[in-house]
Amino acid sequence: MTEEEEDSSAKMSEDVKRYLKLDTRSSAAATSEPPCSSSSSASALANNKSRNFKSFEPPCPDHVLENVLENVLQFLTSRCDRNAVSLVCRSWWRVEAQTRFEVFIGNCYSLSPLRLTHRFTRVRSLVLKGKPRFADFNLMPRNWGAQFAPWVAATAKAYPWLEKVHLKRMFVTDDDLALLAESFPGFKELTLVCCEGFGTSGIAVVANKCRQLKVLDLLESEVTDDEVDWLSCFPASETHLESLSFDCVESPINFKALEELVVRSPFLKKLRTNRFVSLEVLHRLMVRAPQLTSLGTGSFSPENVLQGEQEPDYAAAFRACKSISCLSGFRDLTPEYLPAISPVCANLTSLNFSYANISPDMLKPIIRNCHNIRVFWALDSICDEGLQAVAATCKELRELRVFPFDPREDSEGPISGVGLQAISEGCRKLESILYFCQRMTNGAVTAMSENCPQLTVFRLCIMGRHRPDHVTGKPMDVGFGAIVKNCKKLTRLAVSGLLTDEAFSYIGEYGKLIRTLSVAFAGNSDRALRYVLEGCPKLQKLEIRDSPFGDVGLRSGMHRYCNMRFVWLSSCVLSRGGCREVAHALPNVVVEVFGSDDDDDDDTVTGDYVETLYLYRSLDGPRKDAPKFVTIL
Amino acid sequence: MAYEKKVNELNLKDTELCLGLPGRTEEIKEEQEVSCVKSNNKRQFEETRDEEESTPPTKTQIVGWPPVRSYRKNNSVSYVKVSMDGAPYLRKIDLKTYKNYPELLKALENMFKFTVGEYSEREGYKGSGFVPTYEDKDGDWMLVGDVPWDMFSSSCKRLRIMKGSDAPTLDASL
């Protein structure tokens, strides 16, 4: 070291030493509010001779700490870790807030936009979730809330550098999208999942004004057709697009504009088209974008099949797309074209057939090449036989979802415990399953619990309400009990079929990591609800419908509601008095009650019976935008 | 509790051997009020458990059950009954097999051997005396062709082809 370096290093250690001395002297100094003026530290050491260091103006100890902390915290990305860090002391709270660039808000009503912008000053990415999941099934009246408007207004002022917005179950208007597009010049990623309230005109503004746009993903959202050619609204120059998903947009598109867009988007990796894109159009897109890794294939049906005319070589197009690992779409599949995807099967990690009526015979020749599949979604049209084929080949399967082709209670139901058991025996690495069926056995469910210890998500929907084990006639208690007992990593559970309180006693006893629980048409009494609320310490999201749970059960969770994201109880046996009791006991919890869709005409829910209870914790009290059919107790 | 009693009874019924599908409870109908979900503003718990009417075929659908998002339900077959005034029996068609009104009307014309008139928004169908109508989700009888196809195909519950003098003109109904 040179002389100067030696000096400065000696000086630095003096600072640190002084800081350490200060620290041991009084913890009050460490937790005091800003600023770290030397006078405040001097006052902490009233008769300290070290006052004479004031003349050198060394950095205040708190400043040193904050600089160090800032540099360290930049590496901390997990929000759980960051939440923990922010609780250490005020100084840490402050520094953490300044270094949090990605904010996740699981319930948009848990705090106000103002609180967000006051605490976190440098946000670049915002994830916001609105309505609870049962809203997807028409259990919530329209216009309940979860508007994006106040959030975009607040963030437009506070974070002009905002780059990413990810919304789930929010109400987003075209005006909101326009404001977003105008307010954030560096905006890069927009993802709207299960959202509604906007149309193609809003999308057009985003496409046109967000010149740095990399991601535009519209997933499972309701997009009104404003008859705007939004694809033509992208700027004419080369784009930064990496991902474009519009498979949920139920309106025709300008194929030529899409093709031209793809040509001038060299970074495009993910393209999910809608059902208006025929095989011919898809072929042209694939030829122009062989670098794609994820492809939503549109209808997968030819527009015109003229006799004698040469059809495009679809298999060749797939062969040329060597990087495709994720395939979806098949919205209107013409079966004889399915084999065209064969060239990419060996590389596929994700395959979504859940819009295609695929029989076992159609599936087998395809799936037998899909050795690397990790995510597989399908309709139950593949039958138990198809599931057996999946089990035989897809040893790397992590996630399986099987949806009903005919989603009615009394439909035929071509899959059963046979398929479930086959999957459990073949796909030992399974982590997540969603399975709709008409009949199930405790034996099959138990087999899965034993064969698939890595399960974190188990969602079984036996579509007929209160259906018992179809072989033994017994309730499904034992099967679900085995799941919670054997799957020690389980964090999400959805139950169905005939279930007594016993099933819930198992959930309470063994479901120690469960964060999300969905219950429908189950249980006998309040004891069931009590088992869960007393037994599951990690429970965050509880959604229950049509089960015999009342005020006593609700009361048993008083100690938990402040630590949960939300509780939903609909068509149970709650009374207003019982709900009011919770509201009065827990001032930090907002208790909303409202009726079903049909109650739009009523001004308020009259009488004692509560159709729907939705409660959630909130830092800023009840919301001011509640519609008149919602009563906040 | 009254509810528990009913559950226990249901348990027995569910495990009883019978020819019907599990869950069909014709006997239960005597004990519980059967009511249609739609007309019931405040669904009491008992009523939601069984809305089945005494005559099959399909149960009245419970709101939001099974929990499949609406856009996924487009896959399913949706047969609707078609009647024509004067025809001896009804027919059934799957609306999902048609992509638009011309296709549907052509199929109906073939099925019942008639021709439908010229459609105009103002005057409905003119020229043939046959008027295609449908009953929508709200139970109202509407003229086929007034609303966009997708809206029609998801809200149409049954079709009726009204004939000749039976078919009221729009003027007369106003």
Side-chain angles (χ1 to χ4, degrees):
Chain A
M1 278 204 283
T2 66
E3 239 180 39
E4 285 134 336
E5 281 170 309
E6 250 183 331
D7 270 351
S8 60
S9 88
K11 225 190 206 165
M12 284 231 291
S13 40
E14 278 302 313
D15 291 344
V16 172
K17 269 192 234 159
R18 274 181 223 120
Y19 171 73
L20 288 173
K21 264 197 228 154
L22 272 171
D23 206 28
T24 52
R25 245 177 233 267
S26 74
S27 55
T31 55
S32 64
E33 273 281 88
C36 44
S37 62
S38 40
S39 58
S40 69
S41 42
S43 65
L45 330 146
N47 358 317
N48 200 326
K49 279 178 259 176
S50 56
R51 262 191 214 225
N52 55 9
F53 73 79
K54 242 208 273 186
S55 55
F56 297 115
E57 289 178 29
C60 164
D62 282 345
H63 264 156
V64 171
L65 169 66
E66 290 201 2
N67 284 338
V68 169
L69 208 51
E70 201 168 320
N71 283 308
V72 168
L73 288 186
Q74 301 217 46
F75 297 103
L76 213 59
T77 47
S78 147
R79 65 173 193 268
C80 289
D81 290 345
R82 283 189 156 270
N83 290 345
V85 158
S86 68
L87 292 175
V88 170
C89 65
R90 293 239 173 134
S91 172
W92 282 52
W93 183 92
R94 201 169 46 245
V95 177
E96 192 283 312
Q98 285 164 359
T99 55
R100 194 182 296 217
F101 304 123
E102 294 170 357
V103 174
F104 171 90
I105 297 173
N107 174 7
C108 64
Y109 285 123
S110 59
L111 73 160
S112 68
L114 210 59
R115 186 178 288 266
L116 167 72
T117 54
H118 277 180
R119 177 172 172 184
F120 300 110
T121 52
R122 300 187 189 166
V123 175
R124 292 202 285 248
S125 158
L126 178 65
V127 178
L128 249 185
K129 295 188 179 182
K131 288 181 262 188
R133 200 177 70 98
F134 274 7
D136 291 352
F137 314 122
N138 299 327
L139 291 179
M140 187 171 245
R142 286 189 82 89
N143 307 321
W144 172 82
Q147 272 125 7
F148 182 47
W151 295 92
V152 66
T155 52
K157 292 199 197 95
Y159 315 128
W161 47 76
L162 194 71
E163 291 178 358
K164 175 177 162 180
V165 166
H166 178 122
L167 305 177
K168 186 165 186 179
R169 291 197 190 92
M170 298 284 297
F171 191 86
V172 182
T173 64
D174 291 328
D175 287 342
D176 297 336
L177 292 175
L179 183 59
L180 182 147
E182 278 153 26
S183 310
F184 308 120
F187 196 76
K188 296 201 168 94
E189 298 184 31
L190 179 65
T191 307
L192 302 176
V193 183
C194 298
C195 294
E196 56 173 348
F198 63 100
T200 45
S201 45
I203 300 304
V205 178
V206 172
N208 186 252
K209 297 225 165 109
C210 300
R211 298 290 162 127
Q212 307 299 318
L213 199 65
K214 294 205 297 195
V215 172
L216 179 59
D217 281 348
L218 308 171
L219 309 171
E220 301 183 15
S221 295
E222 229 177 87
V223 184
T224 47
D225 180 7
D226 303 325
E227 292 178 22
V228 168
D229 181 5
W230 57 277
L231 279 165
S232 296
C233 294
F234 281 96
S237 55
E238 211 174 75
T239 76
H240 301 270
L241 276 179
E242 294 175 14
S243 175
L244 178 63
S245 306
F246 58 94
D247 47 352
C248 61
V249 176
E250 289 289 313
S251 50
I253 52 157
N254 180 339
F255 304 132
K256 191 153 173 294
L258 177 58
E259 210 180 311
E260 287 168 6
L261 177 66
V262 165
V263 166
R264 64 181 192 280
S265 302
F267 306 107
L268 193 66
K269 289 282 191 291
K270 297 184 186 177
L271 178 64
R272 304 223 174 136
T273 63
N274 67 9
R275 62 179 177 84
F276 291 87
V277 169
S278 65
L279 264 177
E280 290 96 335
V281 173
L282 183 71
H283 182 263
R284 285 203 291 278
L285 296 171
M286 289 176 74
V287 161
R288 283 163 188 41
Q291 79 281 7
L292 288 176
T293 58
S294 174
L295 179 63
T297 60
S299 71
F300 218 81
S301 191
E303 186 70 49
N304 296 304
V305 186
L306 299 170
Q307 295 292 6
E309 202 168 284
Q310 191 67 9
E311 271 195 304
D313 189 349
Y314 299 117
F318 276 96
R319 218 172 290 124
C321 290
K322 297 186 193 322
S323 311
I324 287 187
S325 59
C326 175
L327 265 188
S328 60
F330 309 101
R331 297 299 206 110
D332 202 9
L333 174 68
T334 302
E336 58 250 44
Y337 293 95
L338 191 57
I341 72 171
S342 302
V344 299
C345 284
N347 292 331
L348 282 183
T349 55
S350 172
L351 180 57
N352 182 350
F353 275 159
S354 66
Y355 291 100
N357 184 6
I358 291 179
S359 68
D361 288 335
M362 282 164 64
L363 179 70
K364 286 201 257 188
I366 301 287
I367 208 75
R368 76 164 62 103
N369 295 319
C370 297
H371 299 100
N372 289 313
I373 284 225
R374 295 169 81 110
V375 176
F376 182 57
W377 293 21
L379 289 177
D380 60 4
S381 55
I382 64 173
C383 304
D384 285 329
E385 200 186 325
L387 289 169
Q388 286 162 334
V390 171
T393 310
C394 307
K395 301 303 180 186
E396 296 300 318
L397 195 66
R398 303 291 198 275
E399 178 181 320
L400 175 69
R401 296 198 193 191
V402 189
F403 296 94
F405 173 75
D406 186 0
R408 291 175 302 146
E409 267 192 274
D410 50 357
S411 62
E412 267 308 304
I415 61 171
S416 68
V418 171
L420 190 75
Q421 181 141 357
I423 290 288
S424 79
E425 287 164 5
C427 309
R428 298 301 179 103
K429 300 184 186 178
L430 198 66
E431 293 171 1
S432 170
I433 183 164
L434 170 62
Y435 199 88
F436 284 85
C437 59
Q438 289 289 8
R439 54 197 193 290
M440 184 50 59
T441 62
N442 283 308
V445 176
T446 304
M448 177 155 275
S449 78
E450 290 165 354
N451 293 331
C452 303
Q454 303 300 320
L455 275 177
T456 55
V457 175
F458 184 79
R459 299 159 69 191
L460 175 64
C461 181
I462 303 170
M463 290 191 279
R465 290 165 287 152
H466 315 294
R467 287 245 175 104
D469 178 318
H470 78 98
V471 167
T472 65
K474 293 209 161 75
M476 293 299 299
D477 298 340
V478 165
F480 283 104
I483 288 286
V484 289
K485 190 169 177 206
N486 298 332
C487 301
K488 305 209 189 326
K489 299 184 180 179
L490 201 72
T491 55
R492 183 169 179 185
L493 178 66
V495 300
S496 61
L498 182 64
L499 292 169
T500 72
D501 288 349
E502 194 180 314
F504 296 91
S505 74
Y506 297 139
I507 296 173
E509 189 179 344
Y510 297 106
K512 296 307 177 188
L513 296 182
I514 292 181
R515 287 175 42 96
T516 307
L517 179 64
S518 310
V519 178
F521 305 101
N524 301 129
S525 75
D526 282 320
R527 276 185 306 152
L529 186 52
R530 208 187 73 222
Y531 288 138
V532 167
L533 288 168
E534 288 178 359
C536 301
K538 300 278 191 196
L539 193 61
Q540 287 292 303
K541 298 181 264 185
L542 180 60
E543 46 190 29
I544 299 175
R545 62 167 294 181
D546 293 278
S547 299
F549 306 145
D551 300 338
V552 171
L554 186 67
R555 207 177 295 133
S556 67
M558 290 282 213
H559 63 297
R560 293 282 291 119
Y561 299 138
C562 290
N563 293 324
M564 292 175 69
R565 191 180 297 173
F566 73 79
V567 174
W568 168 291
L569 280 150
S570 63
S571 300
C572 296
V573 278
L574 294 169
S575 76
R576 288 192 82 137
C579 298
R580 203 176 284 120
E581 208 185 305
V582 176
H584 289 168
L586 304 172
N588 286 335
V589 169
V590 174
V591 178
E592 296 193 12
V593 300
F594 48 90
S596 63
D597 259 326
D598 301 322
D599 281 355
D600 274 340
D601 297 11
D602 297 350
D603 279 344
T604 52
V605 176
T606 53
D608 207 33
Y609 174 70
V610 166
E611 174 66 47
T612 303
L613 163 75
Y614 178 53
L615 65 79
Y616 49 89
R617 64 176 166 211
S618 173
L619 293 171
D620 291 310
R623 59 191 174 114
K624 311 230 173 5
D625 65 353
K628 59 181 166 77
F629 58 79
V630 168
T631 308
I632 298 184
L633 295 173
Chain B
M1 278 208 304
Y3 173 65
E4 264 180 32
K5 181 164 170 296
K6 279 179 181 159
V7 171
N8 290 334
E9 283 166 9
L10 246 189
N11 279 350
L12 293 174
K13 293 269 185 292
D14 274 343
T15 58
E16 247 175 37
L17 290 175
C18 65
L19 291 175
L21 290 171
R24 279 188 63 207
T25 49
E26 282 169 336
E27 289 86 350
I28 300 282
K29 189 204 165 215
E30 289 156 10
E31 297 163 1
Q32 291 171 341
E33 244 186 329
V34 170
S35 52
C36 184
V37 176
K38 224 174 48 171
S39 62
N40 199 1
N41 278 341
K42 293 184 176 55
R43 276 178 267 124
Q44 298 300 317
F45 181 82
E46 285 80 357
E47 286 164 327
T48 59
R49 293 195 349 93
D50 189 349
E51 266 95 6
E52 189 178 83
E53 299 168 13
S54 51
T55 49
T58 50
K59 272 185 181 163
T60 322
Q61 299 293 306
I62 299 287
V63 173
W65 188 262
V68 174
R69 297 204 186 106
S70 52
Y71 64 83
R72 286 201 173 276
K73 291 188 174 179
N74 291 335
N75 291 325
S76 62
V77 165
S78 68
Y79 279 110
V80 296
K81 288 183 195 169
V82 188
S83 63
M84 172 143 119
D85 294 352
Y89 51 83
L90 276 60
R91 301 297 302 271
K92 255 191 169 176
I93 57 170
D94 175 11
L95 280 183
K96 299 293 174 201
T97 57
Y98 308 105
K99 294 202 177 72
N100 50 44
Y101 285 118
E103 277 185 29
L104 170 68
L105 292 170
K106 191 140 177 279
L108 291 175
E109 287 175 328
N110 284 337
M111 205 179 248
F112 289 100
K113 306 283 178 278
F114 74 104
T115 43
V116 80
E118 192 73 32
Y119 172 78
S120 75
E121 212 183 302
R122 246 170 35 90
E123 295 173 338
Y125 291 87
K126 290 197 94 177
S128 72
F130 289 98
V131 183
T133 64
Y134 71 101
E135 185 184 5
D136 73 359
K137 273 191 200 142
D138 301 325
D140 300 318
W141 284 91
M142 317 284 294
L143 187 69
V144 169
D146 281 344
V147 301
W149 172 260
D150 285 334
M151 195 185 290
F152 160 77
S153 69
S154 57
S155 65
C156 171
K157 277 175 46 189
R158 56 187 299 168
L159 283 156
R160 178 184 164 199
I161 302 164
M162 294 186 175
K163 196 167 80 163
S165 52
D166 294 343
T169 61
L170 283 177
D171 290 338
S173 63
L174 281 170

